[in-house]
Amino acid sequence: MAVKIKLKRLGKIRSPHYRIVVADSRTRRDGRAIEEIGLYHPVQNPSRIEVDSERAQYWLGVGAQPTEPVLAILKLTGDWQKHKGLPAPAPLLVAEPKATRPLFDALGGDDESKGEAITQKKKAEKKDEAAAESASTEA
């Protein structure tokens, strides 16, 4: 039995996320897996990649072959280099927490609104113009 390390797709149509699984090469993409060894969420910014390094090393050691996408993920995490005995890659970037509305806070804005429209309503303008015209014709 040939064993592959591949991606199992989950999620909605336009928001995919994957699990990195060890499965028989003859099973379907989303079919039964022997073991789940990680997560991959490409939609998040930056992408979320979690791999159980110990289990990945075990399966690579017993001859499981990674697919091309999984091989790229294993190279990013450094598990492939560890398996082959190569130097480790640079560490992955970790997402920095974003400040809530930094530009708004920098301007000194506050959340309290006055509840009034900034521009005048068109009906009010027409009434004002009509009153001005009638006043000029009477004079």
Side-chain angles (χ1 to χ4, degrees), residues 110-121:
D110 50 349
D111 288 335
E112 297 178 20
S113 60
K114 297 175 184 174
E116 298 177 8
I118 295 172
T119 58
Q120 297 289 330
K121 294 182 179 179

Side-chain angles (χ1 to χ4, degrees), residues 6-134:
K6 55 186 179 179
L7 295 175
K8 179 178 182 179
R9 189 183 195 280
L10 301 168
K12 296 180 182 179
I13 292 176
R14 288 181 180 79
S15 63
H17 58 275
Y18 300 91
R19 291 188 182 158
I20 301 170
V21 297
V22 178
D24 182 6
S25 63
R26 297 171 287 183
T27 60
R28 297 173 298 177
R29 175 190 69 179
D30 301 334
R32 191 177 69 176
I34 299 170
E35 183 179 357
E36 294 179 0
I37 62 170
L39 300 172
Y40 174 53
H41 295 256
V43 179
Q44 294 181 357
N45 191 11
S47 299
R48 178 179 171 197
I49 300 173
E50 295 178 16
V51 178
D52 185 358
S53 183
E54 183 179 317
R55 296 307 296 165
Q57 292 303 316
Y58 168 77
W59 283 109
L60 289 171
V62 296
Q65 296 296 314
T67 59
E68 287 183 23
V70 173
L71 181 61
I73 291 170
L74 292 176
K75 284 182 180 179
L76 285 175
T77 60
D79 292 319
W80 184 253
Q81 288 87 340
K82 190 185 296 184
H83 173 67
K84 290 292 184 179
L86 300 172
L92 292 175
L93 295 176
V94 178
E96 296 178 11
K98 290 186 177 180
T100 58
R101 305 184 303 176
L103 184 60
F104 185 74
D105 293 337
L107 294 174
D110 50 349
D111 288 335
E112 297 178 20
S113 60
K114 297 175 184 174
E116 298 177 8
I118 295 172
T119 58
Q120 297 289 330
K121 294 182 179 179
K122 292 188 178 184
K123 291 180 182 178
E125 290 176 6
K126 289 181 182 178
K127 289 181 183 177
D128 292 340
E129 289 175 9
E133 287 179 16
S134 63

